[in-house]
Amino acid sequence: MDHFLYKAGELFAEDVSVREIARTVGTPFYLYSAATLRRHFALFDEALSGMDHLVCFAMKSNANLAVLKLLGDMGAGIDVVSVGEYLKARAAGIPGERIVFSGVGKKRSEMETALAGGIRQFNVESEPEMETLSAVAQAMGKVAPIAIRVNPDVDAKTHAKIATGKAENKFGIPISRAAQVYRRAAAMPGLEVIGIDVHIGSQLTDLGPFETAFERVAELAEALRAEGHDIRRLDLGGGLGIPYENSNQAPPLPRDYGEVIRRTVGHLGCEIEIEPGRLIAGNAGILVAEVIYVKQGEDRQFLILDAAMNDLVRPAMYEAHHDIIPVREPAPGGEAEVYDIVGPVCESGDTFATGRALAPQRAGDLVAFRSAGAYGAVMASEYNSRPLIPEVLVDGDQFAVIRARPSYDDMINRDTIPAWL
Ligand code: LLP
């Protein structure tokens, strides 16, 4: 459920008219609903109630400081994957003890910054990383708390580019070698082994793969405890999917996911961490764009928008579906046109949808891409020298620009022409 609904014939974000915001900030722009973000975070928090737990928002899905602050105020932890994310989380007021550092290629300098600033735990993904982290921590007179990310070799049944838990993926250490790697870690002076980490992929729409992975983690936890390791924390990653298509069968709810966690690892008495990104932010955001032209092709009509693949890359990159709706509510049972919906970027991959039925559109009309709050703004680029688009947050009847649109001069001045040229 989200808070983007038609009221009196117009699309609203909570109590604010989307057209009103477009008039103020111009198009295209991302628009987030605070109520939806809060609701989604609370669903996860409630799903784990009764267990010692921390919901760590995966900020790779949406890294705006205002979004992080809103979730941080609700008690969220943050899952970061770079020192840039770490510093942004800190800038949003998240204390180090609520920040988990994941990622397959952390550099020494990143480890140093996190250790100096305070960190809840590093999720370590390889033996060379373990060695580096131990050395860095020792040189700083510190001990780094770690969970080791295991790769459980489970098929997450999702898009190949976002599946991470199969043996052929670059992530984690093979679960079959875990006992040996934990033994090595325990002997390293700069590390304190506190738990196990797993993440098998993103946009999972079936609980089965989670169940299998968590069962394997539970078995491993018992085996490691029997060897004397004090396994007291399990980080179960993110990955719960969201409905992208209105017609889709809905993916499982956080409540059901929580039950799987309870059933598979509850008996261990560990502190549970999860790292959801998409389910918290995805349906809390839309991308609003304006129709520039309606162009008649040989055998089709193109709806040419002022948003493009550089603003929202998911359709071009993963053939992802986003519902696209008019901002002016279509009359019930009214006529529809079929469009290929595209952006102005100079490649055919800049296509958001083909053969999409939509109420007839004209130049100047506004449309909204749904489910764009996760992996939208964060994956944007300035390809074709199109400045990054603004982000706006609505909360009840108020809204604020939470990232301003850069000017063309800002964009131009980022480059430097050498004096000798
Ligand atoms: N934890 C780790 C270690 C991850 O790698 C990810 C996502 C998450 C948590 C959060 O997963 P979520 O709950 O959001 O599914 N750009 C792609 C998605 C990439 C996901 C990468 N890792 C997309 O637009 O679909």
Side-chain angles (χ1 to χ4, degrees):
M1 202 208 106
D2 61 47
H3 290 77
F4 301 101
L5 299 169
Y6 290 114
K7 290 183 202 174
E10 283 285 320
L11 187 64
F12 270 63
E14 303 190 21
D15 300 326
V16 187
S17 146
V18 170
R19 185 176 307 281
E20 197 55 47
I21 300 174
R23 214 169 280 143
T24 316
V25 306
T27 56
F29 63 93
Y30 279 100
L31 178 57
Y32 310 128
S33 150
T36 313
L37 288 165
R38 291 196 188 99
R39 179 169 183 278
H40 289 166
F41 175 79
L43 286 177
F44 276 114
D45 214 25
E46 283 157 21
L48 299 183
S49 65
M51 290 189 276
D52 191 8
H53 70 272
L54 185 67
V55 178
C56 296
F57 176 60
M59 69 175 277
K60 62 172 74 68
S61 65
N62 188 315
N64 190 285
L65 290 194
V67 171
L68 301 178
K69 162 89 166 57
L70 178 153
L71 294 170
D73 286 353
M74 293 184 78
I78 304 287
D79 169 52
V80 306
V81 290
S82 71
V83 75
E85 286 197 347
Y86 176 83
L87 294 171
K88 282 193 89 174
R90 293 306 305 268
I94 314 291
E97 63 266 23
R98 278 200 260 142
I99 302 178
V100 171
F101 201 152
S102 302
V104 73
K106 302 175 200 77
K107 295 167 71 164
R108 295 182 82 95
S109 54
E110 298 187 285
M111 295 169 175
E112 278 162 7
T113 302
L115 276 170
I119 190 83
R120 179 179 179 81
Q121 110 218 0
F122 290 90
N123 288 337
V124 174
E125 299 221 16
S126 68
E127 289 177 84
E129 185 192 345
M130 254 161 51
E131 284 160 21
T132 304
L133 181 59
S134 178
V136 167
Q138 242 194 324
M140 295 172 73
K142 293 186 179 275
V143 175
I146 66 158
I148 298 177
R149 178 165 175 182
V150 293
N151 184 326
D153 195 18
V154 171
D155 182 356
K157 299 191 197 128
T158 184
H159 192 287
K161 281 189 184 155
I162 54 176
T164 54
K166 285 288 287 171
E168 70 257 28
N169 301 131
K170 68 181 174 184
F171 299 99
I173 56 148
I175 200 162
S176 54
R177 291 191 45 235
Q180 185 189 331
V181 176
Y182 270 85
R183 240 170 271 142
R184 277 199 69 197
M188 290 187 185
L191 305 183
E192 185 192 10
V193 176
I194 59 167
I196 306 174
D197 172 42
V198 71
H199 170 79
I200 58 173
S202 193
Q203 186 53 18
L204 272 71
T205 51
D206 176 1
L207 291 174
F210 283 122
E211 178 131 23
T212 309
F214 300 166
E215 276 166 0
R216 290 184 188 168
V217 166
E219 265 170 44
L220 176 64
E222 277 168 346
L224 292 174
R225 280 178 171 175
E227 280 204 30
H229 299 283
D230 182 13
I231 301 298
R232 52 192 186 274
R233 189 181 286 168
L234 302 179
D235 183 332
L236 301 174
L240 193 58
I242 62 171
Y244 275 99
E245 282 185 63
N246 234 341
S247 50
N248 253 5
Q249 214 193 343
L253 302 171
R255 186 184 346 118
D256 306 323
Y257 168 77
E259 280 313 308
V260 169
I261 292 177
R262 233 174 272 277
R263 196 160 64 233
T264 51
V265 302
H267 61 285
L268 295 167
C270 286
E271 183 182 6
I272 303 297
E273 280 166 6
I274 54 171
E275 303 169 349
R278 190 189 310 267
L279 200 142
I280 292 179
N283 283 326
I286 59 175
L287 166 63
V288 181
E290 185 178 307
V291 176
I292 312 178
Y293 299 115
V294 182
K295 170 173 167 171
Q296 191 59 54
E298 176 68 31
D299 61 348
R300 62 192 68 210
Q301 289 193 93
F302 295 100
L303 204 60
I304 303 176
L305 305 181
D306 64 355
M309 65 187 287
N310 70 298
D311 304 309
L312 177 67
V313 76
R314 302 192 70 260
M317 195 156 171
Y318 315 111
E319 295 83 40
H321 174 103
H322 284 264
D323 280 343
I324 300 170
I325 60 170
V327 165
R328 184 184 314 105
E329 184 174 20
E335 50 174 331
E337 294 277 341
V338 174
Y339 298 107
D340 279 13
I341 304 177
V342 302
V345 158
C346 299
E347 47 182 297
S348 298
D350 186 23
T351 298
F352 292 119
T354 49
R356 196 66 78 81
L358 206 63
Q361 297 294 303
R362 289 193 311 260
D365 285 347
L366 298 178
V367 297
F369 290 70
R370 295 179 61 87
S371 316
Y375 307 110
V378 284
M379 293 179 78
S381 75
E382 288 186 341
Y383 187 38
N384 278 210
S385 292
R386 296 166 47 86
L388 294 181
I389 65 175
E391 296 174 276
V392 178
L393 181 68
V394 167
D395 192 1
D397 60 3
Q398 55 185 343
F399 73 91
V401 175
I402 56 172
R403 173 185 277 197
R405 192 189 303 279
S407 70
Y408 287 104
D409 280 343
D410 291 338
M411 184 179 68
I412 292 164
N413 291 334
R414 228 175 288 128
D415 295 356
T416 310
I417 300 177
W420 43 259
L421 203 64

